[in-house]
Amino acid sequence: MKHKILFYTLLFYVSFSFAQERFESKTFGFSIDIPQGWKLNEYEADVPGNVKLSETEKQNLFKEGYHVYLGYLYKGSFTGLNPKIQFNIALKHEENFDDFKKAVIASAKRINYLDNLKFTVQPTEITVAGIKSMYFAMTYTVEGSNKTIRSISYAIPFKNYMYQINFLDIPSDNDLLTLYSELIKTVKIK
């Protein structure tokens, strides 16, 4: 009997010690793992994560602007140039993936207002959550600063929407590319 109690106690402990927190927007059917040591900021989100809306109510959210801000994760402090992962959603106007791909490429090429902009990965097809998507990466500097910023963007078309995930950081010896690659595998869209 003691062995059974010990076994179930260990099973309970092991199960919960490896549990992963997730960011979830039930409103738009999007979720992703939250890395250990990162914090979630959804205080400024345009729509709280668990609000139930009809399709018409969702569409009306976009009348205010181009995209709806779902929230973001950050490492370190909330302010400054600390690593951030932002989640947005926009209306998708293209009927097929080829037109979507062209629109993403054209949009990426219009980002010419950033200083010292360089694409480290040109817009490329990738699969995210089983959905054919687009991905690109770039570096730039902020006016008045000599720090290089890295931005890695994913555009995922699903039903009427384009889900955007943007990883933003300063490349360093303690690089986060492996973490980003693992996180993108945890995305679920339904």
Side-chain angles (χ1 to χ4, degrees):
M1 182 69 171
K2 286 183 181 179
H3 293 290
K4 280 186 179 180
I5 292 171
L6 179 61
F7 172 75
Y8 287 116
T9 303
L10 285 173
L11 182 63
F12 177 81
Y13 174 74
V14 170
S15 297
F16 283 98
S17 66
F18 291 108
Q20 178 71 50
E21 270 192 274
R22 287 185 66 78
F23 167 81
E24 184 172 15
S25 169
K26 290 182 181 174
T27 308
F28 286 101
F30 171 83
S31 66
I32 187 171
D33 280 355
I34 298 174
Q36 188 173 13
W38 289 60
K39 297 174 188 130
L40 171 63
N41 174 13
E42 54 184 341
Y43 302 114
E44 298 173 13
D46 293 326
V47 181
N50 295 321
V51 173
K52 190 159 184 126
L53 299 174
S54 69
E55 192 59 34
T56 302
E57 289 170 320
K58 288 180 194 177
Q59 298 280 323
N60 286 337
L61 291 171
F62 297 96
K63 290 182 179 176
E64 299 289 320
Y66 167 72
H67 70 269
V68 171
Y69 168 66
L70 298 178
Y72 69 82
L73 305 173
Y74 62 97
K75 184 176 182 180
S77 72
F78 182 69
T79 59
L81 297 174
N82 294 311
K84 294 177 181 68
I85 305 168
Q86 185 169 332
F87 314 110
N88 297 316
I89 187 165
L91 289 176
K92 180 177 70 73
H93 302 286
E94 301 77 23
E95 293 294 318
N96 61 56
F97 184 78
D98 287 336
D99 290 341
F100 176 77
K101 179 178 177 177
K102 287 176 191 172
V104 170
I105 291 170
S107 179
K109 299 296 181 183
R110 280 195 300 268
I111 305 172
N112 58 7
Y113 53 86
L114 299 170
D115 293 337
N116 303 312
L117 175 71
K118 294 181 187 106
F119 280 92
T120 56
V121 176
Q122 293 292 325
T124 305
E125 285 183 36
I126 191 169
T127 300
V128 178
I131 303 164
K132 193 189 276 191
S133 305
M134 293 297 294
Y135 153 80
F136 60 91
M138 61 183 151
T139 59
Y140 58 92
T141 56
V142 178
E143 187 177 329
S145 172
N146 60 355
K147 294 196 184 234
T148 298
I149 308 293
R150 173 174 52 201
S151 175
I152 301 169
S153 298
Y154 292 84
I156 308 162
F158 186 74
K159 296 185 180 176
N160 298 323
Y161 305 103
M162 175 185 67
Y163 294 78
Q164 288 179 288
I165 304 169
N166 189 45
F167 298 92
L168 193 68
D169 67 9
I170 298 172
S172 66
D173 294 337
N174 192 9
D175 204 71
L176 296 169
L177 286 177
T178 302
L179 173 67
Y180 298 160
S181 296
E182 291 302 313
L183 278 180
I184 206 68
K185 294 175 190 173
T186 72
V187 170
K188 292 191 183 353
I189 299 174
K190 54 184 175 179

